[in-house]
Amino acid sequence: MRPKLGVNIDHVATLRQVRMSVYPDPVHAAVLCELGGADGITVHLREDRRHIQERDVKILRQIVKTKLNLEMAATKEMVEIALDIRPDSVCLVPEKRAELTTEGGLNVVESQEVVRDVVKALKNAGIEVSIFIDPDLDQISMAKRCDTDAIELHTGKYCDAPDKKHREYELSRLIDAAKAASKMGLKVNAGHGLNYQNIFDVASIEEIEEFNIGHSIVARSIYVGLERAVREMVELLRFSRQSRANR
Ligand code: PXP
């Protein structure tokens, strides 16, 4: 079975917000992603509201037919919004105002008390919880102790590796982390920086159930359209997993 694909549509909202216009609408984008075979729609409601707005999450909750995944910081404000809107799943991410995008995983070891409370509140409401972390065994063990359902492994270092040697090292960290987390009974997701060129080896890691991919898909959609861009990524995920099974 191929891994699932959640398409992150934040960048559609970025294009809208840059002119404070009403288009392009991430709600329309979500429909096209689902037509292209996406298994879920992911949005990050940031504290600074730089792209996705609360209005988007509320409407998406009503129109998404697959699965709505909300990325958010582990704050009181965000927990209240999540409990009100009730996405299918929440992915807890770190947030810094000045960053271009989410730069590293959440440091669960340092913020365990807060994370544990947030996980509990969300799970009590029936929301599946994931925590975005670096492929680090201490972080994974602490995430498990915070009672999360899933982790999302940060693939950024693998994607940004400057050469083959570093890429292979980062890939081995992702493989070890995915295996360890799966053994602990955690669902394993992954994302950040993945594109049509670098997805193959990570998609071959059989413990990874779901990928969340945004920037490369939205960028490709400028040339080929969103539905096709999503379909091509779904096909790559299928191909990577099948090739691994046939090895
Ligand atoms: N997963 C998480 C937790 C993220 O924060 C992001 C970026 O918003 C992504 C996945 C998608 O990353 P990219 O846009 O680089 O594909």
Side-chain angles (χ1 to χ4, degrees):
M1 217 179 63
R2 70 163 173 85
K4 293 202 163 107
L5 174 65
V7 181
N8 181 317
I9 54 173
D10 292 350
H11 292 292
V12 176
T14 301
L15 197 53
R16 177 189 62 190
Q17 296 309 114
V18 83
R19 285 286 179 96
M20 298 304 251
S21 57
V22 291
Y23 61 84
D25 196 320
V27 173
H28 297 164
V31 175
L32 293 172
C33 290
E34 289 189 330
L35 278 173
D39 303 287
I41 302 297
T42 293
V43 287
H44 184 176
L45 184 65
R46 293 185 73 104
E47 190 196 8
D48 61 11
R49 306 294 196 270
R50 69 169 72 154
H51 38 52
I52 291 291
Q53 309 295 307
E54 265 175 79
R55 166 259 181 211
D56 302 327
V57 192
K58 283 187 178 148
I59 302 177
L60 286 167
R61 174 62 297 179
Q62 292 171 38
I63 64 107
V64 166
K65 303 283 186 295
T66 51
K67 179 190 146 182
L68 179 63
N69 176 41
L70 176 65
E71 294 175 359
M72 58 175 231
T75 62
K76 189 166 172 282
E77 182 208 5
M78 286 300 158
V79 171
E80 279 168 12
I81 292 172
L83 293 181
D84 177 36
I85 299 180
R86 307 268 169 150
D88 299 289
S89 59
V90 157
C91 181
L92 299 175
V93 299
E95 239 177 68
K96 289 188 220 127
R97 273 199 178 229
E99 68 190 356
L100 278 180
T101 178
T102 320
E103 280 165 1
L106 187 66
N107 190 336
V108 202
V109 174
E110 267 180 15
S111 53
Q112 51 183 288
E113 277 96 26
V114 175
V115 172
R116 196 170 285 127
D117 288 350
V118 169
V119 170
K120 193 170 169 199
L122 295 170
K123 282 180 73 168
N124 282 346
I127 300 170
E128 180 184 299
V129 184
S130 173
I131 308 179
F132 189 47
I133 50 177
D134 292 329
D136 175 283
L137 291 184
D138 290 341
Q139 295 291 344
I140 296 169
S141 303
M142 189 51 78
K144 172 73 184 168
R145 279 163 59 189
C146 289
D147 202 28
T148 187
D149 300 297
I151 54 162
E152 180 166 327
L153 293 173
H154 194 308
T155 50
K157 279 207 172 134
Y158 163 77
C159 296
D160 293 340
D163 51 42
K164 190 163 178 267
K165 188 173 144 227
H166 286 91
R167 198 159 40 251
E168 281 175 0
Y169 170 68
E170 292 301 336
L171 182 64
S172 72
R173 288 185 68 208
L174 289 168
I175 294 171
D176 292 347
K179 285 193 188 314
S182 174
K183 261 200 192 137
M184 289 177 205
L186 292 166
K187 181 182 170 210
V188 186
N189 304 330
H192 208 283
L194 294 167
N195 61 38
Y196 297 81
Q197 281 74 43
N198 64 20
I199 188 69
F200 186 84
D201 284 333
V202 241
S204 308
I205 305 173
E206 53 194 340
E207 285 79 10
I208 302 181
E209 288 184 37
E210 184 182 306
F211 287 94
N212 282 301
I213 306 179
H215 187 261
S216 61
I217 293 177
V218 173
R220 193 181 192 88
S221 77
I222 292 172
Y223 307 118
V224 305
L226 190 52
E227 193 185 329
R228 181 168 147 194
V230 172
R231 187 158 284 132
E232 287 175 358
M233 187 57 85
V234 168
E235 283 313 314
L236 269 177
L237 291 174
R238 194 192 316 278
F239 175 69
S240 318
R241 215 31 89 83
Q242 272 170 359
S243 307
R244 151 113 204 169
N246 295 337
R247 254 184 241 164

